[in-house]
Amino acid sequence: MIETLLAALVSGLVLGSLYALMASGLSVVWTTLGVFNFAHGALMMVGAFVAWTVSEAAGLGLLTGIAAGTLVAALLGVLIERLLVRPFYGHRSMLLITVMTTLAAMIILEKGAQIIWGARLKQLPRLIDGEVSILGATISAHEAVLVGLAPLILFAIWRFTLKTRTGRSLRAVGQNQNSAALIGIDVPVAFAIAFGLSAALAGLTGALLGSIRFITPVMGAEPLVKAMIVVIFGGLGSLGATAGAAYLIGLIEALLIVWLGLYWTPFVLFLMMIIVLVFRPNGIFGGKE
Amino acid sequence: MDNLLTVSGVTAGYGPITVLRGLSLHLGAGECIGLFGPNGHGKTTLLQTISGLIRPTSGSIEFDGRELTRLRPPHIVEAGLVQSPQGNTLFGDMRVQETLELAAFSKHARDDRQSNLEKVFALFPRLEERRPQKARTLSGGERQMLSIGCALMCAPRLLMLDEPTLGLSPRLKEELAQAVGSIAKEGIPLIVVEQDVEFLMALADRLYLIEHGEVVREIDRANAPDHDEVMRLYFGEAAG
Amino acid sequence: MSTRARDILVPLACLAVLALVPLVATESYTRHLFIIAFIYGIIASNWNLSLGHCGVFNFGHLTFFGVGVYTAAIAAKTFGINPWIAIWLGGVTAAFAAFLIATPVARLKGIYVVLVTFAFSQLAMQLVLSQSQITGGAEGMVRIPFMRIGDYSFVRDYKLGYYYVGLGLLVLSTLFLLAVINSPFGKSLKAVRDAEDYAESRGISVSTQRILVLVLSAVFTGVAGGFYAIYLRVASPEVFGFGTLALALSMVLIGGTGTTYGPIAAALALTFATESLAGIRGLEEARFIIVAVAMILVLRLAPGGLLGLLNRLKI
């Protein structure tokens, strides 16, 4: 019993790390631009495919591949901001329009990936071979890297937004665009940085996930949906609440899988989310707005 | 032509609504001017147009011999033309210290960050006390001080203040009016938008009365109106 | 008089042309495309009722369709209910599903409406996947009973019967939408969409209205789902996916939100366009990219479509 619980705890930690990386990317874009990026999962997928192409097809090594995946995703993120988000700045229905344009971006990226890379399943090698035992539960060393890396990345983003000039300017733009412009912050540049950063995060997550799961054009859809659940639980407003909710959801999911099995788990998660929203429209941790 | 700022024939507005109709005014080097007139007649729109938040449909704005009309806000701030906007809540979740540090954003402002910060705290000792507080928790007067403080952190060569005493108690109003006065004494040219004409007349070299998006009267010390005339300008002939 | 006459005569003329199409188009493939287009026309025009006329950004509209698909499939196959009745059961369950989701959604705003309605469609999909002994799970259901009238079987007439059933449902759905939009309730929708606060001060309950609009928009969407299952004789969880969602949404956008016939026209045009692209080698996948690009271009360049409506400038 205890062993099962511990195993669930550890696998919840792996899932939570994945969701935290995905959801914090969504949160960065949301807090800066007020845009919900539906293409976020597809950017993750692109990161995985590019990492595979560079590392496996071109044989340049896994680390080069991960770096390339991150970079290409970041560039695509900036491109999406430039072409699909920026034309609608200041529009009163910007939120809903960008939901639709980023959804279109998702379709384009997924179908584009299918055309470029085909439907055959691909997988990346692991960063480190072997297994690691945590609390008596065994996970692959690669998953352990993901678990260790996620908090570091989250911490780095948090410090970035809190302490650096650029990070602070992103927060300022998110809170009051006009005032930010009046102290000399270039608002469109801040938007592009936020989108690029968020997309880089997605690309990195995808490249890391490509060693654990199969790389397919639709691999981003499920993590995106889970990240949506996370942001609903945590609210979209703050990075800390989003990350906290991500680990919580990962844990709940892992426990539900143990108790209810693989089939009922997503159903219960969605049901929980809808119930949460009925009582707390801004999420469990989301206070204001 | 030694004007610091020349606004000529500017027409601007929001979408289909035209607010400014060919407005012209100027500000000489070292001068301080005041803008007054009824609400909704274009004073704030003018400042926003000068700052680049609104693109004029025609006319030109020249600052220090340089055409600014097509520039975007960060480049206008970089040039030293800075605004403290009206009723500003700034960045609710950022702390006072953080906000002021961030406000020294442009390249030339960054060099003087420390000395400007000291100047702001000397001008508004209350802000120094409130350093670790989030802007959201400040009182109306303190927000106004923070807003002006931010503008000063941008190292302005011309400072525009949009109703710095709006909605404040008489005591706070006095405090801010004094602060604005001492900014003017330091030699920073000012454009001040205010409802309180007497405060403006004490502060500014010249005043513009703005109605329906146009300058309808220019007042300088030589033709200064008396109190009754000011009331008439404000409330129409009926009051006179 | 003239605009009113046009509003009646043009749709009637179009209907007459559509009624005569099977005489010209005698092979079953062309008729099949028309049937699919009719179904998408029902989905898109009903979606428009909530999205365009009421301003509720329901991202789970396809859930209602999927509920209709599975209701009819299960009713006809598992319980042996006559397919003619089964498709209407799809409308009933879809309306019920809409009521369930509308209750929480009516209180939410902005992005949360999008997230919850979308999550609801995922919930429905998970339910279908997890209950594989009833729904067939990921494989879906096949060999669903087909329609017949007496001895006349609908599977051996080159789709002639299904063509007229599909067209008939589209006509019924359109009449239903017109009746809703022109009713006092439909007019109050416009009032709320244009000025929510004002409407509330006049005693119009915005949440009640949203719930009602979602339920009404689900009825014929569910019926269309039921017909889809009976016609194709399969039910698969694909109907809940992003792909179907994006295609239907692009029909609403390209057709112009807030118009009744626009999304139907767009459904016809897009169905034929995407199907003919699918026939070109190498474009099987690229056609979705083309639809997505078209959607973006409409949003950017033709604000008369969706933007015009979101601006609340026209009905």
Side-chain angles (χ1 to χ4, degrees), chain A residues 27-186:
Chain A
S27 172
V28 165
V29 165
W30 174 263
T31 49
T32 313
L33 293 89
V35 164
F36 191 90
N37 181 14
F38 262 83
H40 197 67
L43 288 167
M44 188 196 106
M45 172 274 296
V46 170
F49 269 115
V50 170
W52 180 86
T53 301
V54 171
S55 153
E56 299 308 290
L60 295 173
L62 185 55
L63 284 176
T64 324
I66 291 174
T70 310
L71 189 69
V72 170
L75 292 176
L76 276 175
V78 173
L79 199 66
I80 288 174
E81 190 275 337
R82 187 73 193 77
L83 294 178
L84 304 182
V85 179
R86 193 174 296 186
F88 306 107
Y89 285 158
H91 195 287
R92 57 185 291 178
S93 305
M94 171 177 162
L95 169 66
L96 300 181
I97 293 169
T98 51
V99 162
M100 294 185 273
T101 54
T102 56
L103 180 72
M106 184 194 90
I107 304 279
I108 294 170
L109 291 177
E110 279 188 1
K111 295 298 175 185
Q114 197 159 337
I115 292 168
I116 296 171
W117 285 288
R120 237 186 56 226
L121 299 176
K122 297 176 174 56
Q123 201 161 21
L124 283 165
R126 292 175 171 181
L127 269 173
I128 309 170
D129 286 322
E131 292 178 333
V132 174
S133 184
I134 306 173
L135 301 169
T138 310
I139 53 172
S140 72
H142 187 91
E143 285 173 309
V145 169
L146 181 69
V147 168
L149 210 53
L152 289 180
I153 292 172
L154 292 174
F155 183 74
I157 298 172
W158 181 67
R159 295 297 288 182
F160 167 73
T161 58
L162 214 60
K163 293 293 167 195
T164 67
R165 209 170 73 93
T166 310
R168 283 175 174 179
S169 76
L170 296 192
R171 281 164 61 216
V173 167
Q175 290 173 37
N176 191 336
Q177 276 177 35
N178 273 357
S179 287
L182 289 177
I183 58 173
I185 296 172
D186 199 323

Side-chain angles (χ1 to χ4, degrees), chain C residues 262-274:
Chain C
I264 298 173
L268 276 162
L270 277 175
T271 306
F272 278 87
T274 54

Side-chain angles (χ1 to χ4, degrees), chain B residues 97-173:
Chain B
Q97 171 95 17
E98 230 182 340
T99 310
L100 289 170
E101 282 172 12
L102 180 66
F105 196 82
S106 64
K107 275 188 215 83
H108 75 277
R110 234 172 300 162
D111 301 333
D112 297 329
R113 194 168 90 170
Q114 205 47 47
S115 64
N116 278 338
L117 194 62
E118 280 159 23
K119 271 185 213 164
V120 170
F121 285 150
L123 193 63
F124 301 116
R126 268 166 190 262
L127 284 186
E128 189 161 22
E129 294 164 25
R130 300 273 185 263
R131 269 195 326 206
Q133 253 173 263
K134 288 191 175 178
R136 189 156 25 83
T137 66
L138 299 179
S139 73
E142 289 160 352
R143 284 182 197 187
Q144 200 56 258
M145 293 173 193
L146 182 59
S147 177
I148 297 172
C150 275
L152 289 171
M153 292 301 291
C154 295
R157 297 175 54 216
L158 167 56
L159 180 59
M160 301 186 284
L161 303 174
D162 195 352
E163 303 214 21
T165 68
L166 182 74
L168 299 183
S169 70
R171 202 171 55 80
L172 268 171
K173 207 167 167 167

